Coordinates of all heavy atoms in Angstrom, one line a residue:
S188 N 80.4 28.2 -44.1 CA 79.5 29.2 -43.5 C 79.2 28.7 -42.1 O 79.4 27.6 -41.7 CB 78.2 29.3 -44.3 OG 77.5 28.0 -44.3
N189 N 78.8 29.7 -41.3 CA 78.4 29.4 -39.9 C 76.9 29.6 -39.7 O 76.4 30.7 -39.6 CB 79.2 30.4 -39.0 CG 79.0 30.1 -37.5 OD1 78.1 29.4 -37.1 ND2 80.0 30.6 -36.7
P190 N 76.2 28.5 -39.7 CA 74.7 28.6 -39.7 C 74.2 29.2 -38.4 O 73.2 30.0 -38.4 CB 74.3 27.1 -39.8 CG 75.4 26.4 -40.4 CD 76.6 27.1 -39.9
A191 N 74.9 29.0 -37.3 CA 74.4 29.6 -36.0 C 74.6 31.1 -36.1 O 73.7 31.8 -35.6 CB 75.2 29.0 -34.9
Q192 N 75.7 31.6 -36.6 CA 75.9 33.0 -36.7 C 74.9 33.7 -37.7 O 74.4 34.8 -37.5 CB 77.3 33.4 -37.0 CG 77.7 34.8 -37.0 CD 79.1 35.1 -37.2 OE1 79.9 34.2 -37.4 NE2 79.5 36.4 -37.2
L193 N 74.7 32.9 -38.8 CA 73.7 33.4 -39.8 C 72.3 33.5 -39.1 O 71.6 34.5 -39.4 CB 73.7 32.4 -40.9 CG 72.7 32.7 -42.1 CD1 72.9 34.1 -42.7 CD2 72.7 31.6 -43.1
A194 N 71.9 32.5 -38.4 CA 70.6 32.6 -37.7 C 70.5 33.7 -36.7 O 69.5 34.4 -36.6 CB 70.3 31.3 -37.0
Q195 N 71.6 34.0 -36.0 CA 71.7 35.1 -35.0 C 71.6 36.4 -35.7 O 70.9 37.3 -35.3 CB 73.0 35.0 -34.2 CG 73.2 36.2 -33.2 CD 72.1 36.2 -32.2 OE1 71.6 35.2 -31.7 NE2 71.8 37.4 -31.7
G196 N 72.2 36.5 -36.9 CA 72.1 37.8 -37.6 C 70.7 38.0 -38.1 O 70.2 39.2 -38.1
I197 N 70.1 37.0 -38.6 CA 68.7 37.2 -39.0 C 67.8 37.6 -37.9 O 66.9 38.5 -38.0 CB 68.2 35.9 -39.7 CG1 68.9 35.6 -41.0 CG2 66.7 36.0 -40.0 CD1 68.6 34.2 -41.6
S198 N 67.9 37.0 -36.7 CA 67.1 37.3 -35.5 C 67.4 38.8 -35.1 O 66.4 39.5 -34.8 CB 67.5 36.4 -34.4 OG 67.1 35.1 -34.6
T199 N 68.6 39.2 -35.1 CA 69.0 40.5 -34.7 C 68.3 41.5 -35.7 O 67.7 42.5 -35.2 CB 70.5 40.8 -34.7 OG1 71.1 39.9 -33.8 CG2 70.8 42.2 -34.4
A200 N 68.4 41.3 -37.0 CA 67.8 42.2 -38.0 C 66.3 42.3 -37.8 O 65.7 43.4 -37.8 CB 68.2 41.7 -39.4
L201 N 65.6 41.2 -37.7 CA 64.1 41.2 -37.7 C 63.6 41.7 -36.4 O 62.6 42.5 -36.4 CB 63.6 39.8 -38.0 CG 64.0 39.2 -39.4 CD1 63.4 37.9 -39.6 CD2 63.5 40.2 -40.5
Y202 N 64.1 41.2 -35.3 CA 63.6 41.7 -34.0 C 63.8 43.2 -33.8 O 62.9 43.9 -33.3 CB 64.3 41.0 -32.9 CG 63.8 39.6 -32.5 CD1 64.6 38.5 -32.4 CD2 62.4 39.4 -32.3 CE1 64.0 37.2 -32.1 CE2 61.9 38.2 -32.0 CZ 62.7 37.1 -31.9 OH 62.1 35.9 -31.7
N203 N 64.9 43.8 -34.2 CA 65.1 45.2 -34.1 C 64.2 46.0 -35.0 O 63.7 47.0 -34.6 CB 66.6 45.5 -34.3 CG 67.5 45.2 -33.2 OD1 67.6 46.0 -32.2 ND2 68.1 44.1 -33.2
T204 N 64.0 45.5 -36.2 CA 63.1 46.2 -37.1 C 61.7 46.2 -36.5 O 61.0 47.3 -36.4 CB 63.0 45.5 -38.5 OG1 64.3 45.5 -39.0 CG2 62.1 46.3 -39.4
A205 N 61.2 45.1 -36.0 CA 59.9 45.0 -35.5 C 59.7 45.8 -34.2 O 58.7 46.6 -34.0 CB 59.5 43.5 -35.2
F206 N 60.7 45.8 -33.3 CA 60.6 46.5 -32.0 C 60.7 48.0 -32.3 O 60.1 48.8 -31.6 CB 61.7 46.0 -31.1 CG 61.4 46.3 -29.6 CD1 60.5 45.4 -29.0 CD2 61.9 47.4 -29.0 CE1 60.2 45.7 -27.6 CE2 61.6 47.6 -27.6 CZ 60.7 46.7 -27.0
G207 N 61.5 48.4 -33.3 CA 61.5 49.8 -33.6 C 60.2 50.4 -34.0 O 59.7 51.5 -33.6
L208 N 59.4 49.6 -34.8 CA 58.1 50.0 -35.2 C 57.1 50.0 -34.0 O 56.2 50.8 -33.9 CB 57.6 49.1 -36.3 CG 58.4 49.3 -37.6 CD1 57.9 48.3 -38.7 CD2 58.3 50.7 -38.2
I209 N 57.3 48.9 -33.2 CA 56.4 48.8 -32.0 C 56.5 50.0 -31.1 O 55.5 50.5 -30.5 CB 56.7 47.5 -31.2 CG1 56.3 46.3 -32.0 CG2 56.0 47.5 -29.9 CD1 56.7 45.0 -31.5
V210 N 57.7 50.6 -30.9 CA 57.9 51.7 -30.1 C 57.5 53.0 -30.8 O 56.8 53.9 -30.2 CB 59.4 51.9 -29.7 CG1 59.7 53.1 -28.9 CG2 59.8 50.7 -28.8
A211 N 57.8 53.1 -32.1 CA 57.5 54.3 -32.8 C 56.0 54.6 -33.1 O 55.6 55.8 -32.9 CB 58.3 54.3 -34.2
V212 N 55.3 53.6 -33.5 CA 53.9 53.9 -33.9 C 53.0 54.4 -32.7 O 52.3 55.4 -32.8 CB 53.3 52.6 -34.5 CG1 51.8 52.8 -34.7 CG2 54.0 52.3 -35.8
P213 N 53.0 53.7 -31.5 CA 52.2 54.3 -30.4 C 52.7 55.7 -30.0 O 51.9 56.5 -29.6 CB 52.4 53.2 -29.3 CG 52.8 52.0 -30.0 CD 53.6 52.4 -31.1
S214 N 54.1 55.9 -30.0 CA 54.6 57.2 -29.6 C 54.1 58.3 -30.5 O 53.7 59.3 -30.0 CB 56.1 57.1 -29.6 OG 56.6 56.2 -28.6
L215 N 54.1 58.0 -31.8 CA 53.6 59.0 -32.7 C 52.1 59.2 -32.6 O 51.7 60.4 -32.6 CB 53.9 58.5 -34.2 CG 53.4 59.4 -35.3 CD1 54.1 60.8 -35.2 CD2 53.7 58.8 -36.6
M216 N 51.4 58.2 -32.3 CA 49.9 58.3 -32.1 C 49.6 59.2 -30.9 O 48.8 60.1 -31.0 CB 49.2 57.0 -32.0 CG 49.3 56.1 -33.3 SD 48.6 54.5 -33.1 CE 46.9 54.8 -32.6
F217 N 50.3 58.9 -29.8 CA 50.0 59.7 -28.6 C 50.6 61.1 -28.8 O 49.9 62.1 -28.2 CB 50.7 59.0 -27.4 CG 49.9 57.9 -26.8 CD1 50.5 56.6 -26.9 CD2 48.7 58.1 -26.3 CE1 49.8 55.5 -26.4 CE2 48.0 57.0 -25.8 CZ 48.5 55.7 -25.8
Y218 N 51.7 61.3 -29.5 CA 52.2 62.7 -29.7 C 51.1 63.5 -30.5 O 50.8 64.6 -30.1 CB 53.5 62.6 -30.5 CG 54.0 63.9 -31.0 CD1 54.7 64.8 -30.1 CD2 53.7 64.4 -32.3 CE1 55.1 66.0 -30.5 CE2 54.2 65.6 -32.7 CZ 54.9 66.4 -31.8 OH 55.3 67.7 -32.3
R219 N 50.6 62.9 -31.5 CA 49.5 63.7 -32.3 C 48.3 63.9 -31.5 O 47.6 64.9 -31.6 CB 49.2 62.9 -33.6 CG 50.4 62.7 -34.5 CD 51.0 64.0 -35.0 NE 50.0 64.9 -35.5 CZ 50.3 66.1 -35.8 NH1 51.5 66.6 -35.6 NH2 49.4 66.9 -36.4
Y220 N 47.9 62.9 -30.6 CA 46.7 63.1 -29.8 C 46.9 64.2 -28.8 O 46.1 65.1 -28.7 CB 46.4 61.8 -29.0 CG 45.4 62.0 -27.9 CD1 44.1 62.1 -28.2 CD2 45.8 62.0 -26.6 CE1 43.1 62.2 -27.2 CE2 44.9 62.2 -25.6 CZ 43.5 62.3 -25.9 OH 42.6 62.4 -24.9
F221 N 48.1 64.3 -28.1 CA 48.4 65.3 -27.2 C 48.5 66.7 -27.8 O 48.0 67.7 -27.3 CB 49.6 65.0 -26.4 CG 49.5 63.8 -25.4 CD1 50.5 62.9 -25.3 CD2 48.4 63.7 -24.6 CE1 50.4 61.8 -24.5 CE2 48.3 62.6 -23.8 CZ 49.3 61.7 -23.7
R222 N 49.0 66.7 -29.0 CA 49.1 68.0 -29.8 C 47.8 68.5 -30.1 O 47.5 69.7 -29.9 CB 49.9 67.7 -31.1 CG 50.1 69.0 -31.9 CD 50.8 70.1 -31.3 NE 52.2 69.7 -31.0 CZ 53.0 70.5 -30.3 NH1 52.5 71.7 -29.8 NH2 54.2 70.1 -30.0
G223 N 46.9 67.7 -30.5 CA 45.5 68.2 -30.8 C 44.8 68.6 -29.5 O 44.0 69.6 -29.5
L224 N 45.0 67.9 -28.4 CA 44.4 68.2 -27.2 C 44.9 69.6 -26.7 O 44.1 70.4 -26.2 CB 44.7 67.1 -26.1 CG 44.0 67.2 -24.8 CD1 42.4 67.1 -25.0 CD2 44.5 66.1 -23.8
I225 N 46.1 69.8 -26.8 CA 46.7 71.1 -26.4 C 46.2 72.2 -27.2 O 45.9 73.3 -26.7 CB 48.2 71.0 -26.5 CG1 48.8 70.1 -25.3 CG2 48.9 72.4 -26.3 CD1 50.3 69.8 -25.4
D226 N 46.0 72.0 -28.5 CA 45.5 73.1 -29.4 C 44.1 73.4 -29.0 O 43.7 74.6 -29.0 CB 45.5 72.6 -30.9 CG 46.9 72.5 -31.4 OD1 47.8 73.1 -30.9 OD2 47.1 71.8 -32.5
A227 N 43.3 72.4 -28.6 CA 41.9 72.7 -28.1 C 41.9 73.5 -26.8 O 41.2 74.4 -26.6 CB 41.1 71.4 -28.0
Y228 N 42.8 73.1 -25.9 CA 43.0 73.8 -24.6 C 43.4 75.3 -24.8 O 42.9 76.2 -24.2 CB 43.9 73.1 -23.7 CG 43.4 71.9 -23.1 CD1 44.3 70.9 -22.6 CD2 42.1 71.6 -22.9 CE1 43.8 69.7 -22.1 CE2 41.6 70.5 -22.3 CZ 42.5 69.5 -21.9 OH 42.0 68.4 -21.3
V229 N 44.3 75.5 -25.7 CA 44.8 76.8 -26.0 C 43.7 77.7 -26.5 O 43.6 78.9 -26.1 CB 46.0 76.8 -27.0 CG1 46.4 78.2 -27.5 CG2 47.2 76.2 -26.4
L230 N 42.9 77.2 -27.4 CA 41.7 78.0 -27.9 C 40.8 78.3 -26.8 O 40.3 79.5 -26.7 CB 41.0 77.2 -29.0 CG 39.8 77.8 -29.6 CD1 40.1 79.2 -30.2 CD2 39.1 76.9 -30.6

Side-chain angles (χ1 to χ4, degrees):
S188 62
N189 187 337
Q192 188 175 358
L193 178 60
Q195 176 62 33
I197 295 174
S198 296
T199 300
L201 296 181
Y202 276 130
N203 280 277
T204 302
F206 204 78
L208 294 176
I209 290 173
V210 174
V212 172
S214 298
L215 179 60
M216 292 174 63
F217 281 116
Y218 172 80
R219 299 304 304 172
Y220 169 76
F221 290 136
R222 177 62 63 186
L224 187 64
I225 289 172
D226 289 343
Y228 285 156
V229 170
L230 178 59

